[in-house]
Amino acid sequence: MTKLEVFLDLKKEKPKFIETNNPFGMSNFKRRDFLKLSSLSALPLLAPAIPFQAIASTPQRFSKDSEAVYFINDGIFYRPEDLIAKLQEINSTNPIERDSYAEGGTIDKLLKKFIAITGKEAAVYLPSGTLANQLAISVLCGQNTKAFVQETSHVYRDEGDAAQTLFNKRLIPLAKERAYFTLEELQQSIAYHKQGEYFVGGVGAVSIETPVRRCEGQLFPLEEIKRISAYCKEQGYKMHLDGARLHMATAFTNSTVKEYASYFDTVYLCLYKYLGATGGAVLCGDKALINQMHHLIKIHGGGVFTNWPSAAIALHHLNTIDEDMQQIKAKAKELFVLLNNLKGIKVNALTNGTNLFNVSLDKGIDAEKLNKRLRTEHNIVFGMPKEDGQVKIKINLTLLRRSNQLIFESFKEALAFAKA
């Protein structure tokens, strides 16, 4: 049969396109039509309709990552093709302008936005949060050597001892294995170190992280921050805020970035945790301090030639992040009420928590089967139980991609499938 004859034969009876689990993920072909189409000579005719990869791959349901609901991550982690598409969309309505070493273009618009939301005098772009934290603490301390931090903080546990090895600052940890310390604990530690050392180095700064990643996103209470800030101002100690996830803190404390920032001399915010960028950080503070950063960024290898992709995507999400966070929070509350009515699953909020929740699965539910079913059949990325038996889930912008009812129905079907 020639290609023309195949085409004319197909025209006699067009296949109806329905949702299916067949390997093409497109249509329910009759057997005779499939046989006619299976010859290599027919492939050029099929190319516009059926990707060759679908023919060559093992049977599965194909789904767009841009339509997936992720119960992991703090925000949207764009895949390359989705990021490119999003940047094109942004550029079509608000042309992206190139920067030079993080100055000019879209970077300037981003920095002005951060100045507005933090209420600080100035802002500077850095390639990483680690560099932002370390430079801020070092400059705030000046000639003083001591900085007090949470034992669970990123500054203390996850930045390669940079404060000690590069900046000659001594980090003194408080609140071991806890999300926060109290004013009284800080005062006791300061007194201990002043009275118990023969050659006393000065106290330079106090660094606070909120929410705390190592404590499952728990908050450092805002009321305690206010007390500590007032004390530090009296004593002349500087304060730095590691606000990598600060918009989550504001959403769950019904506060604002500006209020949080008002209690600190410097504040760092991340561009990729929930703003969709591939990397980057912004540090805000007074002009005298921020003006020192440009040289320090350069000598520590942080001078990146152009940064417009991260700036453009972050600015796009930053413009609506507060409204989005409130919408996510409300939507998740309704969704979890629905899910808790299902047998086999229970969603639990954490005390003093933010966007991370614990999920308990009944012993009769096969967690691996549930996770795989949600991912392959419903395009929902869930997760597996951790050492404590709980599945750790996070709510983020991807929750807005689908109605709660559809997500509920997906879990209902997957739980029934995953019964051991």
Side-chain angles (χ1 to χ4, degrees):
M1 181 176 287
T2 67
K3 295 179 183 178
L4 180 59
E5 288 171 329
V6 170
F7 178 76
L8 292 174
D9 190 63
L10 283 174
K11 292 286 284 183
K12 295 176 183 177
E13 185 174 357
K14 294 181 181 179
K16 295 180 180 179
F17 289 86
I18 59 174
E19 283 194 318
T20 176
N21 286 327
N22 70 59
F24 300 102
M26 297 181 65
S27 57
N28 191 19
F29 291 109
K30 291 185 178 180
R31 184 174 180 273
R32 65 181 178 85
D33 291 327
F34 177 79
L35 292 173
K36 291 173 184 176
L37 295 174
S38 62
S39 69
L40 289 175
S41 63
L43 285 176
L45 288 171
L46 287 173
I50 303 174
F52 181 79
Q53 295 93 323
I55 299 174
S57 64
T58 56
Q60 59 179 309
R61 175 171 293 182
F62 292 92
S63 302
K64 289 183 179 180
D65 184 67
S66 58
E67 297 173 353
V69 174
Y70 279 84
F71 284 98
I72 61 173
N73 303 328
D74 290 315
I76 298 175
F77 280 19
Y78 287 101
R79 291 188 179 181
E81 61 271 24
D82 295 319
L83 179 61
I84 292 169
K86 194 66 179 178
L87 286 171
Q88 289 176 329
E89 176 190 321
I90 293 169
N91 190 59
S92 66
T93 57
N94 187 18
I96 301 169
E97 301 173 55
R98 185 172 60 181
D99 63 288
S100 178
Y101 291 103
E103 292 186 358
T106 299
I107 279 280
D108 272 1
K109 296 177 183 177
L110 179 70
L111 295 180
K112 288 177 181 176
K113 181 68 175 179
F114 271 112
I115 290 170
I117 67 173
T118 61
K120 297 300 184 184
E121 292 181 342
V124 65
Y125 174 90
L126 303 95
S128 74
T130 293
L131 190 59
N133 282 331
Q134 293 298 328
L135 290 183
I137 292 171
S138 175
V139 173
L140 289 175
C141 282
Q143 296 302 309
N144 296 307
T145 56
K146 292 185 177 69
F148 290 80
V149 300
Q150 296 132 293
E151 188 270 341
T152 53
S153 67
H154 194 279
V155 166
Y156 187 72
R157 298 289 298 274
D158 300 297
E159 297 186 1
D161 295 331
Q164 298 91 318
T165 57
L166 292 179
F167 300 101
N168 300 314
K169 303 306 175 189
R170 179 181 173 190
L171 299 184
I172 298 175
L174 300 171
K176 185 177 182 180
E177 298 181 355
R178 292 186 285 121
Y180 70 96
F181 53 85
T182 65
L183 170 60
E184 288 73 24
E185 287 175 302
L186 174 63
Q187 291 172 325
Q188 289 169 11
S189 185
I190 290 173
Y192 170 82
H193 286 88
K194 282 185 175 181
Q195 298 166 10
E197 298 177 359
Y198 287 108
F199 303 98
V200 180
V203 176
V206 175
S207 175
I208 287 175
E209 175 186 340
T210 190
V212 185
R213 180 184 65 83
R214 281 183 170 271
C215 294
E216 299 185 327
Q218 288 181 294
L219 294 160
F220 198 117
L222 187 54
E223 288 304 313
E224 202 64 49
I225 287 175
K226 293 178 183 178
R227 297 177 67 224
I228 292 170
S229 177
Y231 166 75
C232 286
K233 286 179 180 178
E234 290 175 359
Q235 301 298 317
Y237 306 147
K238 301 297 185 180
M239 289 191 65
H240 171 66
L241 173 60
D242 179 346
R245 297 169 173 83
L246 187 54
H247 278 96
M248 293 171 190
T250 61
F252 285 85
T253 57
N254 297 313
S255 183
T256 65
V257 170
K258 185 173 290 186
E259 180 181 2
Y260 270 91
S262 69
Y263 304 117
F264 296 84
D265 297 279
T266 54
V267 53
Y268 138 64
L269 296 103
C270 180
L271 300 188
Y272 73 85
K273 294 289 192 302
Y274 44 78
L275 295 179
T278 57
V282 170
L283 180 68
C284 302
D286 62 40
K287 288 182 180 179
L289 184 143
I290 295 299
N291 285 343
Q292 299 178 55
M293 292 297 163
H294 301 281
H295 176 70
L296 293 173
I297 292 168
K298 182 64 177 178
I299 65 174
H300 286 95
V304 179
F305 174 56
T306 187
N307 308 270
W308 57 264
S310 288
I313 199 77
L315 180 60
H316 170 77
H317 286 297
L318 187 61
N319 284 326
T320 60
I321 191 63
D322 291 318
E323 295 83 355
D324 291 341
M325 284 293 181
Q326 289 299 332
Q327 190 176 353
I328 293 164
K329 180 182 171 184
K331 192 170 191 291
K333 184 177 180 180
E334 295 174 0
L335 174 63
F336 296 157
V337 169
L338 291 174
L339 292 182
N340 283 339
N341 286 326
L342 290 173
K343 291 183 178 180
I345 189 170
K346 185 73 174 177
V347 184
N348 301 295
L350 294 173
T351 301
N352 205 34
T354 53
N355 71 320
L356 189 146
F357 297 78
N358 281 330
V359 178
S360 304
L361 298 175
D362 287 356
K363 292 181 179 179
I365 301 297
D366 186 320
E368 187 172 348
K369 287 176 67 176
L370 175 64
N371 188 54
K372 185 175 181 180
R373 187 73 173 181
L374 286 169
R375 187 182 292 253
T376 58
E377 296 299 318
H378 302 286
N379 206 11
I380 293 175
V381 182
F382 187 55
M384 293 292 292
K386 302 297 182 182
E387 292 180 358
D388 61 0
Q390 303 283 323
V391 179
K392 312 293 181 180
I393 66 169
K394 293 183 177 182
I395 56 172
N396 53 55
L397 285 172
T398 66
L399 192 62
L400 304 180
R401 292 173 172 174
R402 210 171 303 174
S403 72
N404 278 348
Q405 189 59 38
L406 284 177
I407 297 172
F408 168 78
E409 294 296 339
S410 296
F411 271 89
K412 183 178 180 180
E413 188 280 333
L415 284 165
F417 176 82
K419 286 183 179 178

